[in-house]
Amino acid sequence: MNQPLTVDQIRRAPKVLLHDHLDGGLRPATVVELARETGYTGLPTYDAQELGRWFREASDSGSLERYLETFAHTTAVMQTRDALVRVAAEAAEDLAADGVVYAEQRYAPEQHLEAGLTLEEVVEAVQEGLELGRKRAADQGRSIRTGQLVTAMRHAARSSEIAELAVRYRDAGVAGFDIAGAEAGNPPTRHLDAFEYLRRENFHFTIHAGEAFGLPSIWEALQWCGCDRLGHGVRIIDDIDTDTGGAPRLGRLAQYVRDKRVPLEMCPSSNVQTGAAESIADHPIRLLRDLRFRVTVNTDNRLQSGTSLSEEFARLCEAFGYGWDDVQWFTVNAMKSAFLPFDERLALINGVIKPGFAQLKWTTS
């Protein structure tokens, strides 16, 4: 049996990241420095190494609610224009260093207004940072393209306002809209006005669904709200059974998701942390890949999970024996599902991703 691909090998591959939270990807040292600059005194420790360990341990509770509490610290230090520029620039740099060639960064502008910024100023600061990070990466010989996913919080009442904000900046860095937050008790149907507006404007959107809550969340996100992609969607496994011979048998919702090629933004390590999956080895991603759902691999929150996209792929390769063909399959799925015009997606697939993997297969064969 061949040895699993290593993180260092996978880092050389051109990868695509669709589900990565800006406020979940800060460098621990940056959190500490920004806290000192802004006078934030709520951190559990001001030692960067210890803080990184604290974020991971606090996120390993198996509870989505506890996991979400860690974001109080990151958003607290992201309340000024300079902080947002810095965090976004470092995110683009870090992703490019990991071999990511296209990334969508999601965050909720409404969570960054405590120091007096407007929603528009938040979006503009993040875009400035992403552009700065792209230029820094280019100076180091790395290419990355980024887009913002402007996010509304499902427990709040600003989704229509945030949807309008996203559309206003559609030609200035915003690729799509998202809605996030605790699923239980906060169904996406509370925000139908926002989704109907986005559809009228021919704008892309994804919805966090099927992570902590089950099939009803996925069904509502698709059939009532009309989303383009499912953020996580891991609980679609609940609609897949086996027949008497042990072969998979898809329920009507699972069949619909597969038939319609609905992209699933799966985040293996995060799903284990929040209790959506028992372990990487038990993650539904293997069966869903075997059944050829439109599965993509993502990081969710690199700080809380202590991970990178290369590390996520390495864990899957070790658990399931995946090789270059599998990593390429997931990557092409992600690029097909990106909120970019079709010709631009095709150019990245044929001009960057496939040639990059072909070179890696040749050099490691």
Side-chain angles (χ1 to χ4, degrees), residues 96-108:
D98 191 43
V100 175
V101 296
Y102 177 78
E104 293 175 357
Q105 286 285 290
R106 63 184 72 196
Y107 67 99

Side-chain angles (χ1 to χ4, degrees), residues 57-361:
E57 291 173 354
S59 302
D60 281 339
S61 65
S63 163
L64 178 61
E65 287 71 21
R66 175 76 189 282
Y67 184 84
L68 294 175
E69 287 175 7
T70 63
F71 291 90
H73 299 297
T74 55
T75 56
V77 301
M78 295 170 64
Q79 297 299 325
T80 66
R81 175 194 166 277
D82 288 348
L84 288 168
V85 171
R86 175 178 176 176
V87 169
E90 290 179 353
E93 285 184 275
D94 291 347
L95 294 176
D98 191 43
V100 175
V101 296
Y102 177 78
E104 293 175 357
Q105 286 285 290
R106 63 184 72 196
Y107 67 99
E110 64 193 89
Q111 295 188 316
H112 303 279
L113 308 178
E114 294 178 8
L117 292 176
T118 65
L119 292 171
E120 290 78 9
E121 287 170 337
V122 171
V123 173
E124 291 166 10
V126 170
Q127 187 59 28
E128 181 180 341
L130 291 175
E131 281 297 311
L132 178 60
R134 181 191 63 77
K135 291 175 183 176
R136 289 175 180 170
D139 290 342
Q140 298 170 21
R142 303 185 182 98
S143 176
I144 186 171
R145 180 167 180 177
T146 60
Q148 296 187 43
L149 293 188
V150 173
T151 302
M153 302 307 296
R154 62 200 310 151
H155 60 271
R158 305 187 72 169
S159 54
S160 291
E161 182 183 10
I162 303 302
E164 292 171 4
L165 174 74
V167 171
R168 282 203 302 278
Y169 283 86
R170 69 189 307 168
D171 297 319
V174 176
F177 175 86
D178 175 36
I179 196 159
E183 289 181 74
N186 299 292
T189 47
R190 288 185 177 179
H191 306 277
L192 283 178
D193 287 349
F195 300 128
E196 290 170 359
Y197 167 77
L198 293 166
R199 289 201 300 270
R200 288 197 302 270
E201 293 295 327
N202 304 308
F203 199 60
H204 298 295
F205 63 97
T206 179
I207 294 177
H208 278 70
E211 181 185 13
F213 207 62
L215 296 175
S217 179
I218 295 174
W219 180 80
E220 287 189 6
L222 290 172
Q223 311 304 4
W224 279 90
C225 305
C227 65
D228 299 295
R229 302 192 316 230
L230 289 171
H232 296 285
V234 66
R235 297 311 331 152
I236 196 64
I237 195 71
D238 296 342
D239 200 39
I240 302 176
D241 203 351
T242 54
D243 62 22
T244 54
R249 181 176 59 198
L250 278 61
R252 292 193 184 278
L253 182 59
Q255 188 74 56
Y256 179 88
V257 169
R258 186 172 69 166
D259 289 350
K260 295 286 284 186
R261 315 307 298 144
V262 177
L264 304 175
E265 305 165 357
M266 297 212 157
C267 310
S269 292
S270 174
N271 293 156
V272 173
Q273 286 181 304
T274 61
E278 291 187 8
S279 66
I280 297 294
D282 294 321
H283 198 286
I285 196 169
R286 180 177 192 175
L287 177 60
L288 295 170
R289 188 263 185 271
D290 290 345
L291 294 173
R292 302 190 70 81
F293 280 74
R294 176 72 71 82
V295 183
T296 68
V297 177
N298 303 276
T299 51
D300 202 9
N301 299 290
R302 288 171 286 118
L303 172 61
Q304 280 80 353
S305 295
T307 195
S308 67
L309 188 54
S310 294
E311 289 172 295
E312 291 298 293
F313 274 119
R315 292 181 181 112
L316 296 177
C317 290
E318 182 177 7
F320 306 132
Y322 288 159
W324 285 126
D325 287 342
D326 301 284
V327 177
Q328 179 177 333
W329 184 84
F330 285 117
T331 301
V332 171
N333 274 354
M335 197 67 249
K336 286 179 179 178
S337 308
F339 291 161
L340 272 181
F342 171 77
D343 55 343
E344 296 176 30
R345 284 180 275 150
L346 199 62
L348 281 168
I349 290 172
N350 292 331
V352 176
I353 294 170
K354 288 185 177 180
F357 275 94
Q359 178 68 20
L360 286 168
K361 293 174 188 177

